Amino acid sequence: MVSPATLRRFSTPRKASAKLRVRLASRSRAWADRPPAAPAHPASYRLPRTGANLRVSDVVVEGPRAYLAAAGQGVRVLDVSDPATPREIGAFSSAVASTDLHLAGNRLFVATARGMDLLDVTDPAAIRVGGQFRAGIATGIDVQGNHAFLATGGPGVEVVALSPPAAP
């Protein structure tokens, strides 16, 4: 847990979102206190050229996997165990823009242009839909306990009650 004092000392450019500042501060206190002297750029990954919208709007990394919210392409899953050679190991195709991600175990919550998709990413080669909630355009998502909170681009937030995953 990061103390509030650490969050106050942590600074990012003005254009960085509050969510990004909190994510960075909570995941890497050492980096927040001492930025690296010479950041390196070992590799890049480019979305496949399918469709007109080739924009990644969010990325979540957990262990050897990176999950990309890929605008009009849904979600892409990369193996980043070797950061110099990221490779795609799975995808969930969608014509709807994916705007933000939240990973909780093997459940990936995706804010979309239609609301929220809940994906089971246990096997990245066979991603399954675990549920959906339609609320119009969702621009951000966070999950706490049994509730998802969707920023809908307007003056409000949609609070979605989540039921526990079904037993196998």
Side-chain angles (χ1 to χ4, degrees):
M1 185 91 182
V2 177
S3 70
T6 301
L7 291 176
R8 280 195 299 272
R9 284 196 319 261
F10 183 76
S11 62
T12 59
R14 287 181 183 230
K15 290 185 179 180
S17 70
K19 182 176 179 181
L20 175 62
R21 288 192 300 268
V22 170
R23 278 186 183 171
L24 290 174
S26 65
R27 290 189 180 172
S28 181
R29 182 179 175 162
W31 187 84
D33 292 339
R34 272 187 336 272
H41 183 254
S44 295
Y45 170 82
R46 300 282 183 237
L47 291 172
R49 292 200 169 271
T50 57
N53 201 344
L54 299 175
R55 182 177 55 86
V56 174
S57 58
D58 194 20
V59 60
V60 173
V61 179
E62 182 67 34
R65 292 182 185 166
Y67 301 88
L68 308 172
Q73 296 186 22
V75 174
R76 301 287 178 168
V77 184
L78 305 181
D79 177 351
V80 292
S81 55
D82 178 3
T85 58
R87 62 184 180 87
E88 187 172 303
I89 57 172
F92 175 76
S93 296
S94 175
V96 177
S98 299
T99 57
D100 195 27
L101 304 172
H102 181 90
L103 183 66
N106 289 324
R107 299 189 324 167
L108 184 65
F109 297 84
V110 184
T112 72
R114 290 187 188 147
M116 176 185 77
D117 289 339
L118 172 55
L119 304 178
D120 179 347
V121 293
T122 303
D123 178 3
I127 297 172
R128 298 179 314 189
V129 177
Q132 296 177 323
F133 176 77
R134 297 298 174 228
I137 297 172
T139 58
I141 190 166
D142 200 3
V143 177
Q144 292 293 319
N146 291 327
H147 293 89
F149 299 84
L150 295 174
T152 55
V157 171
E158 296 287 337
V159 179
V160 182
L162 304 172
S163 59

